[in-house]
Amino acid sequence: MPYDPGNVFARILRDEIPSDRVYEDDEVVAFRDIAPHAPTHIVVIPRGEPPTSPAELDDADAPWVGRLVVRASRIAAEQGLAHDGYRLILNCGAHGGQTVPHLHMHILGGRPLGPLG
Ligand code: AMP
């Protein structure tokens, strides 16, 4: 799928719409989800025009995807989630519940999240 520069995360990166940012560096921006599913719900997005979903990743993407996971775990720790635990999610496509076509990682925590399903 070609990247849509009008998607909501692209607009957040361009500061066209506000976001409650909790972390940013040269590769990623992390902000609070506008419709949280847990007491702490943060979305971590790569800067630029990444693949639209995990389905488009290939081996060449492994280094930055790995760093995305590391960043997310650090952000979770900074948010005080490390002791009790948290969930990292990459949604993919319609059945995965993906609504924004800019690859991203969710951090969910702050309560027992229960089994997947
Ligand atoms: P997904 O369903 O995996 O594509 O995740 C997209 C997430 O982006 C959803 O959890 C939305 O609530 C969240 N979201 C959409 N628009 C905004 C926004 N303007 N600010 C923060 N989060 C948003």
Side-chain angles (χ1 to χ4, degrees):
M1 182 193 297
Y3 187 82
D4 170 16
N7 82 72
V8 66
F9 291 168
R11 299 186 65 206
I12 284 174
L13 287 172
R14 293 195 298 268
D15 286 323
E16 291 173 3
I17 55 178
S19 61
D20 184 1
R21 296 187 184 200
V22 299
Y23 175 85
E24 58 186 303
D25 62 27
D26 58 338
E27 283 194 308
V28 305
V29 174
F31 49 88
R32 296 193 186 281
D33 197 290
I34 202 168
H37 286 264
T40 301
H41 185 172
I42 292 165
V43 184
V44 189
I45 68 173
R47 291 189 187 273
E49 298 190 358
T52 60
S53 83
E56 296 187 354
L57 293 171
D58 60 32
D59 284 348
D61 297 307
W64 70 260
V65 173
R67 290 193 296 275
L68 180 69
V69 177
V70 174
R71 299 293 202 295
S73 71
R74 285 193 192 142
I75 293 165
E78 288 166 9
Q79 294 291 318
L81 301 178
H83 180 268
D84 289 332
Y86 53 90
R87 183 170 287 159
L88 302 179
I89 297 174
L90 289 177
N91 287 331
C92 183
H95 281 197
Q98 184 179 4
T99 58
V100 180
H102 177 121
L103 188 147
H104 53 278
M105 175 164 281
H106 296 262
I107 304 170
L108 292 157
R111 66 168 170 79
L113 295 166
L116 286 174

